[in-house]
Amino acid sequence: MMNPPVKSALLCAAMILSGVWCATEFPAAAHAQEPATPATTPAEAEAKTADQAAQGTPAATPDDHAHAAGHEGEHDAAHAAHSNMGLELPLVSVLPFVLLLLCIAIFPLVSPHWWEHNTNKGIIVALLSVPLAAYLVYAFGTAGVHEIAEKLHEYVSFMILLAALYVISGGIYIKGSLNGTPLANTMLLLIGALLASFIGTTGASVLLIRPLLRANRTRKQVAHIVVFFIFIVSNCAGLLTPLGDPPLFMGFLKGVPFEWTLIHLWPHWLLVNIMLLVIFNIWDQVVFAKEEKERAGSQLEAVMKHEPLGVEGGLNLLFLLGVVATIYASGNFAFFGQKPWPIGVAEGMMAGLAIAGYLTTSKQNRLNNKFTFGPIIEVAVLFIGIFITMAPALQILNAWGRPIGGREIMGVKFAMSETWQFFWVTGILSSVLDNAPTYMTIAATACGLNGVEVVGPIYLKTFLEKGGPDAVRLLAAISCGAVFMGANTYIGNGPNFMVKAIAEENQVRMPSFFGYMLYSGAVLIPIFIIVTLVFFRT
């Protein structure tokens, strides 16, 4: 029989092919619903011909004018249909998105054994996303095809980046261990905080969680160390580049400049992570001192016994730098005169780096890291559904936020306008839903406030340019809310559950879902209130 990872991968491919089939099957029916487009008038044609003659350009024939007018009309009609999509979509079209996110949040708690199989996740994804994709194409024609094609392109770019970081970092094995003292633990979290923005919160978590656990294997109370690791390395530290956390990469795909997060968000990153490191150090000192009194023998001597540190698979560090360079170059430089880069160039480079890293890495490194493709297949299966089903939500919220010509939702007009509102709404939703679609959804609403349509590959760049300083503050609030508050629960960000599972494999008794929320409520919420007062008060 075919093993589950292969079946899941084939199911994921089948869903992509289903979307492509829908995109080619229904346009003819939808074109019949598209409005007629105005043709070029004789006066306009004569004026254009005169201009061409003056510039030495051969005059266009009547057939040329008719052909060009037809193409322009088709383009205008498709753009108009796409612009109106958010106004015309029924609210029920958001239901598949809501149901999928609820499944992701609830099934791991109520039926973990059933949910752990990626095939079952794929069934849920297919049931919710494929009919919705078919509906969008059938109801909106070319605009629906464009919307689905755009979401599939975003999905492929997103997954190739995550997979490249996951595969390459999985080949780097840090052998040995540090001392399990409060100071050494704090330093390791600081290293993780610096790495997370450049190799991703997932990559940094995979790389550092096992050395941290080995350093503290003689200690009795370790759960709080892992919890703070999730707070810092798996979430709050990934704010400085688009590589750091999935929401920021989604923003980069939609036109946010690569360096924007570093330029505008470093004060937020510094404040939050310094506070977390200080609180952790004090907390760990208290716990360590208590263990010293309660347990026989010297705990300090026990934790000071450590294995020499070393790094195997160091070539993968160059591949990681290659991924960073590819992402940066794709947003800042032309590719043989083309900017943005043609579809598939950056993705092909990152895939090549991942393959090179996998083939040149010793199998023993991956065995030592307990590397498997299971987690990344899980992300691939779930996120193709998320990308497709969130399309109506993005369009509706964008239309809801438009100050002129927008829509009402259940008779309610959009009321958010302050940066602190965007910070907390994004954060609260990111705590219980996945933070990447939450970021895109709230960003679409902010675009609507500034009259920017969520169309094309760079609409967030247009939003920042058109909105000026107010747009910068709004996007900063949304970015911080998504990245920081993904740490509030185990389900807020992908690495959270992964780190929990690795800790439990190493005999660490981790807090329950709600027990973890007691930690985040006591530590994170006061910090986020301070962030609000310092950065997002007005």
Side-chain angles (χ1 to χ4, degrees):
M1 287 183 63
M2 200 179 298
N3 60 49
V6 174
K7 286 196 293 185
S8 300
L10 290 175
L11 181 59
C12 185
M15 286 187 287
I16 294 176
L17 291 175
S18 298
V20 174
W21 178 82
C22 290
T24 57
E25 184 70 15
F26 291 106
H31 276 308
Q33 303 172 12
E34 292 178 0
T37 54
T40 305
T41 65
E44 290 171 340
E46 281 185 25
K48 189 171 182 180
T49 302
D51 288 341
Q52 289 174 332
Q55 296 171 10
T57 306
T61 66
D63 286 343
D64 292 334
H65 286 302
H67 186 69
H71 276 298
E72 290 173 6
E74 288 177 8
H75 180 271
D76 292 343
H79 181 76
H82 202 287
S83 300
N84 293 330
M85 189 181 293
L87 299 173
E88 298 174 5
L89 277 165
L91 287 180
V92 73
S93 64
V94 179
L95 188 59
F97 179 54
V98 175
L99 289 175
L100 180 56
L101 294 179
L102 287 176
C103 288
I104 294 170
I106 294 173
F107 270 119
L109 306 177
V110 300
S111 187
H113 180 69
W114 185 86
W115 186 250
E116 71 183 12
H117 298 290
N118 287 329
T119 302
N120 294 333
K121 298 184 184 77
I123 292 170
I124 296 293
V125 165
L127 289 174
L128 293 172
S129 61
V130 172
L132 177 65
Y135 163 74
L136 290 176
V137 174
Y138 182 76
F140 293 94
T142 304
V145 173
H146 174 78
E147 184 71 12
I148 296 302
E150 192 172 282
K151 290 295 173 280
L152 289 176
H153 174 229
E154 292 170 10
Y155 166 77
V156 170
S157 299
F158 175 80
M159 279 310 309
I160 287 178
L161 172 67
L162 283 191
L165 294 175
Y166 179 81
V167 170
I168 294 171
S169 61
I172 302 171
Y173 176 60
I174 300 179
K175 60 184 180 180
S177 65
L178 294 167
N179 302 325
T181 62
L183 179 59
N185 289 335
T186 304
M187 292 304 298
L188 190 58
L189 293 184
L190 175 60
I191 292 170
L194 296 172
L195 286 176
S197 285
F198 299 95
I199 65 172
T201 52
T202 299
S205 297
V206 170
L207 193 63
L208 296 177
I209 184 58
R210 290 187 178 89
L212 180 68
L213 293 173
R214 288 199 299 269
N216 291 276
R217 62 189 169 193
T218 63
R219 293 185 56 174
K220 185 177 180 181
Q221 298 184 47
V222 183
H224 70 282
I225 300 174
V226 180
V227 167
F228 273 89
F229 183 93
I230 294 174
F231 288 171
I232 298 170
V233 180
S234 301
N235 288 276
C236 296
L239 188 67
L240 295 182
T241 75
L243 299 171
D245 217 34
L248 304 182
F249 184 67
M250 293 298 301
F252 174 77
L253 290 178
K254 287 302 172 186
V256 178
F258 184 92
E259 64 279 2
W260 186 90
T261 48
L262 182 61
I263 293 171
H264 294 281
L265 302 181
W266 71 263
H268 313 68
W269 178 92
L270 193 63
L271 177 64
V272 169
N273 286 288
I274 284 179
M275 286 193 289
L276 282 171
L277 288 169
V278 170
I279 293 170
F280 167 74
N281 185 264
I282 295 171
W283 190 316
D284 203 31
Q285 297 257 20
V286 172
V287 172
F288 189 79
K290 185 179 179 183
E291 285 189 34
E292 186 79 14
K293 292 178 182 178
E294 292 178 351
R295 298 176 66 186
S298 172
Q299 303 309 306
L300 182 60
E301 290 180 8
V303 299
M304 288 295 287
K305 296 175 183 177
H306 65 280
E307 304 167 10
L309 285 172
V311 176
E312 295 182 356
L315 182 61
N316 286 286
L317 296 173
L318 293 178
F319 295 135
L320 285 175
L321 288 175
V323 172
V324 174
T326 299
I327 295 298
Y328 180 78
S330 68
N332 290 274
F333 301 103
F335 181 82
F336 292 103
Q338 296 189 55
K339 188 178 180 182
W341 288 12
I343 293 174
V345 174
E347 292 84 353
M349 289 181 177
M350 289 188 289
L353 289 166
I355 293 170
Y358 186 80
L359 295 178
T360 58
T361 297
S362 166
K363 291 183 179 179
Q364 191 60 44
N365 286 4
R366 290 191 290 273
L367 289 174
N368 290 337
N369 282 330
K370 298 181 180 178
F371 175 91
T372 69
F373 282 102
I376 201 65
I377 291 175
E378 177 182 3
V379 173
V381 171
L382 291 175
F383 267 83
I384 189 171
I386 288 174
F387 273 79
I388 292 173
T389 59
M390 75 177 177
L394 296 181
Q395 292 292 338
I396 289 172
L397 285 172
N398 178 260
W400 189 34
R402 293 179 196 171
I404 300 175
R407 68 181 288 171
E408 294 182 354
I409 294 181
M410 300 177 69
V412 177
K413 291 185 177 181
F414 185 75
M416 286 199 307
S417 59
E418 302 293 335
T419 52
W420 68 266
Q421 294 171 325
F422 280 86
F423 174 65
W424 281 97
V425 168
T426 305
I428 291 169
L429 291 176
S430 294
S431 302
V432 294
L433 306 174
D434 191 275
N435 58 1
T438 298
Y439 171 97
M440 294 303 295
T441 302
I442 304 301
T445 309
C447 287
L449 281 176
N450 285 268
V452 176
E453 298 172 9
V454 286
V455 179
I458 58 169
Y459 64 78
L460 284 180
K461 180 179 180 181
T462 305
F463 167 66
L464 290 171
E465 293 173 347
K466 185 175 181 179
D470 289 340
V472 170
R473 285 191 289 270
L474 282 181
L475 193 59
I478 294 167
S479 302
C480 289
V483 173
F484 290 159
M485 296 201 205
N488 282 342
T489 69
Y490 280 137
I491 61 176
N493 197 17
N496 300 3
F497 248 128
M498 180 185 67
V499 170
K500 174 180 179 287
I502 293 173
E504 289 174 337
E505 282 180 356
N506 287 267
Q507 312 307 314
V508 176
R509 187 176 179 181
M510 291 296 292
S512 67
F513 182 83
F514 293 106
Y516 176 89
M517 290 181 65
L518 291 177
Y519 276 94
S520 62
V523 176
L524 294 177
I525 298 304
I527 290 176
F528 298 150
I529 292 173
I530 293 172
V531 169
T532 304
L533 295 174
V534 173
F535 299 110
F536 305 129
R537 185 168 47 186
T538 58

